[in-house]
Amino acid sequence: MPELIEQANDLIESLSPYTIIGIFVAFALVIIGLRQVLKNPVSRLTAFSSSTGSVLVSRKALQDLIRQACLKDDWVEAARPVVKIVGEQINTNVSLRLSKADHLRETSERLQNRISELLQKSLSFEQIGPIEIMVTSFGKSDVDELPATETESVLEAAPIVGESILEPKPQALPSPSSDSPAKLPERE
């Protein structure tokens, strides 16, 4: 055991002071990083407290409530809210699929106000952070589609991948009949 202590002491004495400081800084950063990674996010928030106890609301319940509030809007087809609780503040990010691109500003402002009122009035949350709205897609009703006849003619005219426009298309193989053997078409 004393030999091991002497070897460690010799190793430390052979290192420069900058190397020792660097090792301690690296060790401290690893500890801080592990603490941040392993720290569990807050999964519930106290809505209010009374003399009989507290009422807690989970993040999942908040997300479901916000999703339902967004889906009440006529322009919203789908909503996926993510609620983050930072200290006592609620930060909300909502991904939306809207039915049309019309009235984007009015729709997003209406939803932000609805979510803010819902959190303040219904659940008594006062520390409401930013409510970020991200539109991920629009409904298919806005897409200008070609009529069926135009679509078919465009598809017929377009070459298949790997097929040259200048080469003739290969002929389909004839179906074999019981009387004659199958013949392959000849290439030029």
Side-chain angles (χ1 to χ4, degrees):
M1 186 74 151
E3 293 175 10
L4 186 60
I5 294 174
E6 285 181 27
Q7 289 175 354
N9 191 25
D10 291 340
L11 178 65
I12 291 173
E13 288 177 358
S14 67
L15 296 175
S16 71
Y18 294 116
T19 306
I20 295 172
I21 291 171
I23 291 171
F24 281 120
V25 168
F27 183 70
L29 290 175
V30 167
I31 297 295
I32 291 170
L34 285 174
R35 183 173 169 246
Q36 291 295 324
V37 169
L38 297 177
K39 186 170 86 171
N40 291 332
V42 178
S43 62
R44 57 184 176 238
L45 193 65
T46 303
F48 58 89
S49 297
S50 66
S51 61
T52 58
S54 299
V55 174
L56 302 173
V57 179
S58 71
R59 280 185 341 165
K60 176 143 178 42
L62 286 174
Q63 290 173 178
D64 287 342
L65 191 61
I66 292 169
R67 183 180 56 79
Q68 291 171 9
C70 290
L71 291 176
K72 286 182 181 178
D73 195 284
D74 294 336
W75 297 97
V76 178
E77 289 183 353
R80 196 183 108 230
V82 176
V83 174
K84 293 182 181 176
I85 302 169
V86 181
E88 291 294 317
Q89 186 175 16
I90 301 171
N91 297 337
T92 308
N93 294 322
V94 184
S95 299
L96 298 175
R97 183 176 70 225
L98 299 179
S99 60
K100 294 184 178 184
D102 300 342
H103 311 291
L104 182 60
R105 178 182 292 266
E106 293 86 6
T107 303
S108 61
E109 288 174 354
R110 185 172 52 248
L111 289 174
Q112 287 171 327
N113 289 334
R114 184 179 296 164
I115 292 168
S116 179
E117 287 176 10
L118 177 72
L119 294 174
Q120 285 176 347
K121 291 181 182 174
S122 301
L123 299 174
S124 302
F125 291 130
E126 297 298 324
Q127 301 293 331
I128 298 173
I131 300 172
E132 301 291 332
I133 304 285
M134 179 173 65
V135 178
T136 57
S137 65
F138 294 103
K140 295 182 179 164
S141 62
D142 266 0
V143 178
D144 293 330
E145 295 182 14
L146 295 173
T149 55
E150 289 181 34
T151 305
E152 291 169 2
S153 63
V154 167
L155 290 176
E156 289 172 3
I160 299 174
V161 174
E163 182 179 296
S164 172
I165 296 175
L166 302 175
E167 292 181 16
K169 292 183 180 180
Q171 299 295 322
L173 294 175
S175 61
S177 65
S178 58
D179 297 342
S180 63
K183 293 183 180 180
L184 296 174
E186 295 181 17
R187 285 209 161 238
E188 295 179 32

